Amino acid sequence: MGSENNQEIHVNDAGESWTWLLFLICLTTTLGSTVPVGYFFGVLNAPAEIIQSWCDEVLSNEYDTNSSESQLNLLWTSIVSIYLIGGICGSCFSACCCNKYGRKGTLIISSVILLICGLLFTWCRAARSLEMLLVARFFGGIASALIFTAQPMYLLELAPSSLSGSVGVFTCIGVTAGILLAQIVSLPQLLGNDDNWPYALSFYALLVLLCLLPLMCYPESPRWLYLVKGDVAASAHGLRQLRGNEVNVQLELNELEQTLSKNDKSSTICQVLRDKALLLPLLLVCALQASQQLSGINAIFFYSLLILTNAGFSSSSATWLNLGIGCFNLFTSLLGPLLLYKFNRRPLLMCSCLICGGSLAGMSFSLYYLLSSEGMALRYVSIAFILTFILGFQLGLGPIAYFIGSELLEDAPRPVAMSFGSLFSWLGNFLIGLCFPLLQIAWSSFAFMPCMCVCIFCLLLVWRYLPETRGREPKDVKPLMSQGLRSKIN
């Protein structure tokens, strides 16, 4: 076989293919970037009581302050939520960072920030410093926001258009794998104990360090090099590395030249907001990212242990069941590349919203009757609805929301739109973390009903306004959305 054939993993109908380099880039950026993001989300659940006790001890010994239970709860809420605040702040300048330093450059910057945060986590107990813990969580949020904006763009701009869905799901796979890894590492039998909890918080840094050197050797986005930096030679070199097919390289270079001839420079935030033709795609990106977070997935993973114990399981059983749910979440996310390669975005998203909404309604009622009747069978019915929700989420809401902005928008407004999407994602995450405990107190098992309403809203939004993007270039999708809310997608 020739060298080009050795590079190919799968060849699609258009003659465009996976290459080993593209696969390695997807794997490396997932392990070194999005897995740490998921790790941040999940790592504080299991060792929460241990870290809270340490916080109480530090306040008493270092600050001569005897804290009440409510004050400790407020401090713990701050430690958890400051990560989300960092994410909101990072989203505000992530587009500028992606335009100035490139997609790969932004990922390298975020990796360096994550490594520094890992050092702060490792030494915060030895330094007896709450400030180090808070600073590490905050800057971890900033790095995560940069990753959410840059990583989907980087992969989609490296891949041929026919593989956009397959590479786009790696963001969701990484976050899902990171949550599961955090659940495993933070088990009391491993690092989630009195002696090792700082190492549990910083364990992700090993992955970042392992993947940073390969990341620095990978090519930058050819589209960014050509359209933003004007470096035609570097862009062509990167495409030859990625494609291994000179014909496809020349076709893409011609397309980039045509794009550049339209003066399609990077758009500023003000330019994007003033352009009426971008109103609907921007609304879709923001609404889908917010709906992803408000759909209930984070409520389930933030409070899964509480849900399972309320369902009547012992603390030990709930821990292992929670781990099993995390494994199921990862397994279903791995179906994403195949599903998005075979099926259109619109039906996947609508099925996803329908299944998620129905599962949340079923879970709410099963938990309600379980709490009133304590029937053993209803425990497993509740778990079945949780698993059904996760399956529905991974069909569309989970993976598609991360990358849909790259398929809806052309190169110039894309970084700004992805940045806005990331901002709304973090705001939705912050809102669910703030409101869900209050809803649980007020509505008990029916706290998931607002999440069900979000799923129904998202279903209607997709049905009415989201054009099909599979197999289409953004320039072909753009006219379908040019009339804003009066647009007709068919």
Side-chain angles (χ1 to χ4, degrees):
M1 279 188 163
S3 60
E4 290 180 8
N5 291 336
N6 286 336
Q7 283 185 305
E8 292 180 351
I9 302 172
H10 169 77
V11 180
N12 58 38
D13 295 336
E16 296 173 323
S17 61
W18 280 97
T19 62
W20 284 112
L21 178 58
L22 179 59
F23 178 74
L24 286 173
I25 292 173
C26 290
L27 185 64
T28 303
T29 57
T30 300
L31 288 175
S33 298
T34 51
V35 168
V37 174
Y39 194 90
F40 265 84
F41 280 121
V43 73
L44 289 183
N45 287 343
E49 292 185 6
I50 295 172
I51 301 175
Q52 286 182 56
S53 298
W54 173 76
C55 291
D56 187 26
E57 179 186 339
V58 170
L59 287 172
S60 177
N61 295 336
E62 301 298 320
Y63 298 92
D64 197 24
T65 301
N66 294 320
S67 302
S68 64
E69 184 177 351
S70 61
Q71 290 172 322
L72 277 176
N73 287 336
L74 179 61
L75 175 60
W76 181 248
T77 302
S78 301
I79 292 172
V80 173
S81 62
I82 199 170
Y83 173 64
L84 304 178
I85 294 171
I88 293 170
C89 294
S91 298
C92 294
F93 58 83
S94 57
C96 177
C97 192
C98 286
N99 281 331
K100 184 172 183 179
Y101 301 108
R103 300 9 172 177
K104 185 186 82 168
T106 301
L107 289 176
I108 291 173
I109 291 170
S110 66
S111 296
V112 172
I113 295 173
L114 287 174
L115 288 175
I116 295 171
C117 293
L119 290 174
L120 293 174
F121 283 135
T122 301
W123 294 103
C124 66
R125 183 180 61 180
R128 307 184 66 80
S129 172
L130 294 175
E131 293 84 358
M132 289 173 67
L133 180 59
L134 288 164
V135 167
R137 291 282 296 176
F138 177 75
F139 279 95
I142 288 178
S144 298
L146 296 178
I147 289 167
F148 272 157
T149 302
Q151 199 250 9
M153 278 197 298
Y154 183 51
L155 296 188
L156 267 74
E157 290 177 6
L158 292 182
S161 58
S162 60
L163 295 179
S164 62
S166 297
V167 301
V169 299
F170 276 87
T171 305
C172 185
I173 290 174
V175 173
T176 303
I179 293 172
L180 177 60
L181 180 64
Q183 289 176 324
I184 295 171
V185 170
S186 61
L187 286 171
Q189 296 89 338
L190 296 176
L191 298 180
N193 49 54
D194 283 313
D195 295 328
N196 297 313
W197 65 261
Y199 307 112
L201 298 185
S202 61
F203 182 83
Y204 73 87
L206 296 177
L207 289 176
V208 178
L209 191 61
L210 181 67
C211 296
L212 180 57
L213 184 59
L215 177 61
M216 296 174 70
C217 299
Y218 293 148
E220 178 56 270
S221 162
R223 300 191 72 86
W224 178 80
L225 288 170
Y226 200 113
L227 299 175
V228 179
K229 301 298 287 184
D231 193 339
V232 178
S235 177
H237 178 68
L239 283 172
R240 290 188 180 95
Q241 286 181 283
L242 290 161
R243 301 289 180 265
N245 185 318
E246 187 63 28
V247 174
N248 288 344
V249 169
Q250 289 303 320
L251 288 173
E252 291 191 48
L253 288 173
N254 291 339
E255 187 268 330
L256 288 172
E257 185 178 0
Q258 292 175 8
T259 302
L260 189 62
S261 66
K262 300 175 185 176
N263 293 320
D264 198 11
K265 299 292 185 181
S266 298
S267 301
T268 64
I269 292 176
C270 292
Q271 288 172 332
V272 171
L273 293 177
R274 284 198 300 260
D275 191 340
K276 293 182 180 179
L278 297 177
L279 171 63
L280 182 55
L282 189 61
L283 174 65
L284 287 168
V285 171
C286 294
L288 287 173
Q289 288 261 37
S291 297
Q292 181 198 60
Q293 302 302 323
L294 296 172
S295 65
I297 188 68
N298 284 330
I300 286 176
F301 278 103
F302 284 166
Y303 304 103
S304 52
L305 285 174
L306 182 61
I307 293 170
L308 292 170
T309 52
N310 286 343
F313 292 98
S314 66
S315 178
S316 176
S317 298
T319 299
W320 290 107
L321 280 170
N322 188 44
L323 190 60
I325 290 171
C327 291
F328 181 79
N329 188 32
L330 177 59
F331 173 77
T332 52
S333 73
L334 294 175
L335 299 175
L338 178 63
L339 289 172
L340 287 161
Y341 182 71
K342 294 289 185 181
F343 300 101
N344 289 344
R345 315 298 190 235
R346 274 171 51 82
L348 281 176
L349 264 173
M350 288 191 285
C351 287
S352 176
C353 294
L354 193 60
I355 293 171
C356 288
S359 300
L360 290 171
M363 184 167 59
S364 295
F365 281 101
S366 63
L367 285 172
Y368 172 75
Y369 287 114
L370 174 62
L371 293 173
S372 59
S373 66
E374 297 184 0
M376 286 290 294
L378 287 173
R379 295 183 185 181
Y380 301 100
V381 172
S382 301
I383 293 176
F385 277 121
I386 291 175
L387 296 179
T388 305
F389 173 86
I390 291 172
L391 176 62
F393 181 82
Q394 296 294 355
L395 283 178
L397 264 177
I400 295 175
Y402 283 121
F403 70 82
I404 194 67
S406 291
E407 294 191 341
L408 288 174
L409 291 119
E410 295 180 283
D411 296 276
R414 184 180 296 155
V416 172
M418 296 291 283
S419 177
F420 268 103
S422 176
L423 174 62
F424 274 77
S425 176
W426 287 102
L427 287 171
N429 206 330
F430 183 77
L431 189 62
I432 205 78
L434 186 69
C435 296
F436 190 77
L438 301 177
L439 290 173
Q440 275 192 311
I441 294 171
W443 294 353
S444 186
S445 60
F446 292 105
F448 286 102
M449 299 309 283
C451 299
M452 182 197 73
C453 294
V454 169
C455 293
I456 294 172
F457 163 77
C458 190
L459 171 64
L460 296 174
L461 184 72
V462 171
W463 170 75
R464 174 63 182 84
Y465 288 116
L466 182 68
E468 183 54 57
T469 59
R470 178 172 174 252
R472 289 176 169 177
E473 293 289 338
K475 65 177 183 291
D476 301 321
V477 177
K478 182 180 179 180
L480 300 175
M481 303 178 290
S482 60
Q483 299 301 311
L485 296 178
R486 293 176 298 167
S487 300
K488 294 182 179 180
I489 61 174
N490 296 314

